[in-house]
Amino acid sequence: MAVKFTNLKTKIQSIRPTGYKYPVGLSYRPGLSLMNVATNTTGGTQTIDGSNAIHTFATAPGSGTFTPSFTGTVEVLVVGGGGGGGGYYSGGGGAGGLIYNSSYPVTTSSPISAVIGSGGSASVSAGSSGNPSSFGPTSSTGGGRGNNGQASV
């Protein structure tokens, strides 16, 4: 599961014409002071990629808390655990469900719970289903299990 802040740099002053939005239009004026609004945001493993900060919660099964240091919106990707494969001549388990929200609202210092669902286990008979993952009230389903496909003679 990942939470991504886009365009973290706050413009102090811009030469961009009114109505133009990033990445279209003129870039920031060189030499201006910029700040990263995610510096004090906590939760998961933070990776900075250009002007994006990505908080990843990846230990399954597990949980964590995301606490933003600003009020605004973030991108959220939630993926449920995949299903375990079945035995013999059967197929694999299904993929975990996926939920994407491009503008999830967050509020300064308001913690959001993140739950990471584990994948299902494989078996010589039928595998088990994957477990759901969630970010706040947003939840994705776990993947379906692979069945026992042993041929009879």
Side-chain angles (χ1 to χ4, degrees):
M1 164 180 336
V3 179
K4 179 180 176 183
F5 303 97
T6 55
N7 304 321
L8 291 176
K9 296 179 180 177
T10 302
K11 293 184 288 182
I12 305 302
Q13 184 178 6
S14 175
I15 57 174
R16 183 172 295 148
T18 303
Y20 282 85
K21 295 184 179 179
Y22 183 81
V24 178
L26 303 174
S27 60
Y28 298 103
R29 187 176 296 170
L32 292 178
S33 298
L34 302 173
M35 65 180 212
N36 181 340
V37 296
T39 301
N40 295 320
T41 296
T42 61
T45 301
Q46 185 184 51
T47 305
I48 302 294
D49 179 20
S51 63
N52 299 322
I54 302 166
H55 288 254
T56 305
F57 297 85
T59 303
S63 63
T65 303
F66 174 77
T67 307
S69 61
F70 65 97
T71 296
T73 61
V74 296
E75 290 180 68
V76 175
L77 176 67
V78 181
V79 181
Y88 300 103
Y89 302 102
S90 61
L98 181 138
I99 302 283
Y100 172 73
N101 185 335
S102 63
S103 57
Y104 187 94
V106 296
T107 304
T108 303
S109 300
S110 295
I112 300 167
S113 175
V115 176
I116 302 89
S118 62
S121 58
S123 174
V124 294
S125 57
S128 63
S129 296
N131 293 291
S133 295
S134 63
F135 184 79
T138 303
S139 181
S140 66
T141 60
R145 66 186 178 98
N147 207 353
N148 181 356
Q150 184 175 10
S152 59
V153 180

